[in-house]
Amino acid sequence: TTLIRAVLEQVDRKTFTSLIQDPSLSEEQLLRVILQDFGLASRDEMKRGRLAHASARELLGTLDDFLSSLRPLGASALLVIDEAQEIPLETLDQISALAGPAGGMGRQLQIVLVGQPILKDLLTSPLIRELDGRIATRLELKPLSADETSQYVSHRLMVAGAGPAVDFAPPAVAAVHRYSGGVPRLINMLCD
């Protein structure tokens, strides 16, 4: 999540972004959030406007029109889904449709799935084989070493403004590394 936020801060002005942080959304809910994030509809419009009772197919058509309009502008769209391992398979299938064929939406829309290691297993499901085949780049963050854990804890304390009054003794940092296995999310939880 921290890495996602850092990346989104670096995105240029010609890239529309949508960050999905609630992976339990239905297909229609997912499309509505994406349309809102891209600025195509307000929350009120989604509740009472023309898209309030739109089907997934109609919402997808609206998104397709938007993505097509980006081509002449040299713009693109970025969809980032955090905790993607929690997404229902049906919704992952919808994401596959959003990625589109090479000549369709896929050229204007980049999708980034961020999740726990179980996401790799989920993507091998026969129900969403197409999506797995469309993944161009796969990255896996490895656990931090003991030294990296110490540096990470110091950095997080500095960013939080803790100052010299808050410090973790070397045996405490060693215990944090041992119990977290070097996983930043677990390091954060233990240090908290």
Side-chain angles (χ1 to χ4, degrees), residues 67-125:
L67 294 171
S68 295
S69 75
L70 296 178
R71 283 188 190 110
L73 302 173
S76 62
L78 173 65
L79 170 61
V80 180
I81 301 175
D82 196 9
E83 298 297 336
Q85 77 280 354
E86 300 294 330
I87 295 177
L89 288 180
E90 300 80 26
T91 306
L92 274 175
D93 189 47
Q94 180 67 44
I95 291 168
S96 179
L98 287 174
M105 287 185 249
R107 292 194 173 176
Q108 299 311 121
L109 178 64
Q110 297 294 316
I111 300 172
V112 177
L113 300 175
V114 181
Q116 303 298 320
I118 193 169
L119 179 61
K120 289 188 303 187
D121 298 332
L122 185 61
L123 288 171
T124 61
S125 167

Side-chain angles (χ1 to χ4, degrees), residues 24-55:
S24 63
L25 298 173
S26 69
E27 293 175 34
E28 288 84 4
Q29 291 169 324
L30 175 71
L31 289 167
R32 282 183 168 80
V33 170
I34 293 168
L35 292 173
Q36 286 176 10
D37 286 353
F38 288 160
L40 300 176
S42 67
R43 192 171 289 188
D44 189 54
E45 202 175 4
M46 286 296 183
K47 289 181 181 174
R48 297 185 197 97
R50 68 177 179 86
L51 298 175
H53 301 290
S55 67

Side-chain angles (χ1 to χ4, degrees), residues 149 152-153 156-157 166-168 171-192:
T149 298
Y152 179 75
V153 169
R156 295 288 296 189
L157 286 171
V166 178
D167 194 18
F168 282 71
V173 174
V176 166
H177 181 263
R178 186 173 55 253
Y179 288 112
S180 70
V183 175
R185 178 177 52 87
L186 298 177
I187 293 170
N188 294 345
M189 291 170 52
L190 288 170
C191 289
D192 187 48

Side-chain angles (χ1 to χ4, degrees), residues 7-21:
V7 167
L8 290 177
E9 287 177 13
Q10 304 292 321
V11 172
D12 66 35
R13 291 174 39 178
K14 283 192 165 190
T15 303
F16 291 81
T17 61
S18 176
L19 173 59
I20 305 297
Q21 294 181 304

